[in-house]
Amino acid sequence: QTVVDAINHVTQTCLKAKVPLGIFGLSPDAVAPYIQKGFNLIVAGVDTLLLGNAARELRDSLTSISK
C-alpha cells in the first residue's frame, strides 16, 4: 500500500499545484483510471506492440481473402 499511497500523494500535490501529471500504459484500459484522476500527459501503447498487432491484423485479412 506504500507505493499506492505515494502515488496518491504525488497526484494530489500536483493537481493542487497545477503541475501536469503523466502516465505510461500498454493500453487505453491501463491509462483510463489515470485520465479520470486528472492525468493529462498520456502515453498508451508501445511501438513494437502496435506494429505487431497491425501485422497480425494484416495477415488475418489476407488469409481470409485467400480462403
Side-chain angles (χ1 to χ4, degrees):
Q1 220 28 352
T2 303
V3 173
V4 173
D5 292 339
I7 291 170
N8 289 334
H9 174 72
V10 170
T11 299
Q12 292 306 313
T13 301
C14 288
L15 288 173
K16 287 178 186 173
K18 297 187 180 181
V19 172
L21 283 159
I23 190 70
F24 168 82
L26 293 179
S27 69
D29 290 339
V31 297
Y34 295 95
I35 293 170
Q36 294 169 350
K37 290 180 182 180
F39 283 57
N40 50 14
L41 299 171
I42 307 298
V43 176
V46 178
D47 56 351
T48 53
L49 181 64
L50 296 169
L51 287 169
N53 288 340
R56 274 188 290 286
E57 287 179 25
L58 178 60
R59 179 202 61 207
D60 293 346
S61 294
L62 292 172
T63 301
S64 68
I65 292 170
S66 64
K67 288 185 177 182

